[in-house]
Amino acid sequence: MRAAEACRDAYDWELGVVPWGSAFGGPRLLARVDGVPGMVPLLASADPQAAESHLRRHLELCAGEAPFPFHWSWRFERSVGWVPCDDPPPGWSRGRAWLLLAVADAPHHLDTDAFRPVVSSLLQEPVVPPADEAHPDGPLDTSATAITAVALLKLGHRAHAVALLDALVRTHVTPDGRLVNGCYDLASGTATHHELIWGDFFLAYALAALTGLVDPHDA
């Protein structure tokens, strides 16, 4: 609750988000898609209205423009408003996955199905997407698929989740149980063909939810 209250205190009512912050360097007033899925359930425990606003603003910024590409990070400038950033790139594999996970948590933590219509636009065509859609022959990102599988289980789309998990386990899991072929950051060349800790977590959690060991909404 102390963490939730700290997030509530950091919420910017003018911008409608808890800003990404400057701890990693750069400007404080950022809206980044990977700052949404964990924030929604946490902030909802202290202020559901702020949590819903945080999700809604990110959906407007990151997935509210057509046609594609999406932009997954936005910088707020007082003189002009929200400005899209190039990092992560529009074709980033985990952009859709993170936002889908946040949308999947909304009915459980915010008691609303208002965001469900965007689900289809956030699903990716390849079972395991490339790390960047601009480089379709480049490294894959299995962690994006694992995140998506958890989101689908939360949404009740069990058959689709099973298909994704089957592809991961058959092709991308080593005999000792490691999920490989994840890509952390293609642009910088960092960990582009690796086991990633969040990939392992979401795969393990999805399998545990699928087999009834945990409730999909417990995390």
Side-chain angles (χ1 to χ4, degrees):
M1 280 307 301
R2 290 198 302 270
E5 289 164 359
C7 292
R8 180 195 59 200
D9 292 343
Y11 177 78
D12 189 310
W13 288 97
E14 178 186 1
L15 303 186
V17 300
V18 176
W20 175 261
S22 57
F24 290 125
R28 175 180 177 274
L29 297 182
L30 287 178
R32 276 185 54 124
V33 69
D34 39 349
V36 187
M39 181 62 72
V40 168
L42 179 62
L43 186 56
S45 64
D47 191 331
Q49 182 180 355
E52 182 172 346
S53 172
H54 186 78
L55 174 56
R56 188 179 302 279
R57 177 68 71 204
H58 280 83
L59 282 169
E60 292 170 352
L61 292 171
C62 299
E65 294 183 351
F68 301 149
F70 295 147
H71 289 280
W72 304 117
S73 178
W74 293 74
R75 179 181 71 256
F76 186 78
E77 297 182 359
R78 296 292 177 186
S79 58
V80 296
W82 290 104
V83 178
C85 303
D86 294 330
D87 181 32
W92 186 43
S93 56
R94 291 191 296 281
R96 295 172 188 254
W98 286 134
L99 203 51
L100 184 66
L101 183 61
V103 168
D105 275 326
H108 188 71
H109 294 279
L110 301 177
D111 194 26
T112 177
D113 267 342
F115 304 107
R116 192 174 286 268
V118 306
V119 168
S120 60
S121 68
L122 295 175
L123 292 172
Q124 304 182 87
E125 287 299 327
V127 172
V128 179
D132 187 343
E133 293 174 3
H135 303 279
D137 297 325
L140 302 176
D141 185 11
T142 53
S143 72
T145 303
I147 296 166
T148 299
V150 171
L152 289 169
L153 288 172
K154 288 174 180 281
L155 289 165
H157 297 183
R158 183 182 176 90
H160 193 167
V162 168
L164 298 187
L165 293 170
D166 183 69
L168 287 182
V169 171
R170 287 180 181 273
T171 309
H172 302 283
V173 173
T174 64
D176 59 349
R178 295 181 299 114
L179 178 63
V180 294
N181 298 325
C183 180
Y184 171 55
D185 187 354
L186 181 60
S188 67
T190 304
T192 58
H193 296 84
H194 280 62
E195 175 188 16
L196 302 171
I197 190 169
W198 61 88
D200 283 343
F201 168 79
F202 281 101
L203 174 61
Y205 197 85
L207 294 173
L210 189 66
T211 55
L213 292 175
V214 297
D215 187 300
H217 296 289
D218 283 346

